[in-house]
Amino acid sequence: MIQKLYEVYCDYCGRSLNHYLSRKPTRQKLIDDGFVCTATKQFCNEKCYGDYNHDLQQTRYLNIHPDGRIHRT
């Protein structure tokens, strides 16, 4: 017997969150199972989500050039 298995990972730390048989889990199902979801990413808890946002802001901040422009033309 062949059966599909969907394994969901945290997009920040890479930890396996859960396994789902035969159907891809919806965003609402992941939220009901206690995970933090955004439009395109899922996280194991609020700490991972906060760390992801912090790192994202740091990356955006470091891309700003000394003259204040993001892109040079």
Side-chain angles (χ1 to χ4, degrees), residues 53-71:
N53 279 335
H54 179 265
D55 290 352
L56 186 63
Q57 292 301 323
Q58 287 293 99
T59 302
R60 288 179 181 162
Y61 176 75
L62 293 175
N63 284 335
I64 297 176
H65 296 284
D67 59 1
R69 290 185 294 168
I70 295 176
H71 302 287

Side-chain angles (χ1 to χ4, degrees), residues 2-14:
I2 298 175
Q3 192 171 35
K4 285 187 178 182
L5 175 72
Y6 291 94
E7 187 171 14
V8 181
Y9 291 96
C10 176
D11 284 323
Y12 183 73
C13 67

Side-chain angles (χ1 to χ4, degrees), residues 15-61:
R15 193 176 89 191
S16 176
L17 302 178
N18 205 349
H19 298 86
Y20 296 93
L21 295 175
S22 65
R23 286 194 175 190
K24 183 177 177 182
T26 62
R27 182 175 179 265
Q28 188 59 43
K29 174 69 174 156
L30 292 172
I31 290 171
D32 291 343
D33 288 345
F35 306 120
V36 178
C37 295
T38 63
T40 58
K41 300 196 179 297
Q42 55 273 350
F43 303 96
C44 52
N45 54 30
E46 289 288 334
K47 184 179 183 321
C48 276
Y49 180 55
D51 290 345
Y52 170 78
N53 279 335
H54 179 265
D55 290 352
L56 186 63
Q57 292 301 323
Q58 287 293 99
T59 302
R60 288 179 181 162
Y61 176 75

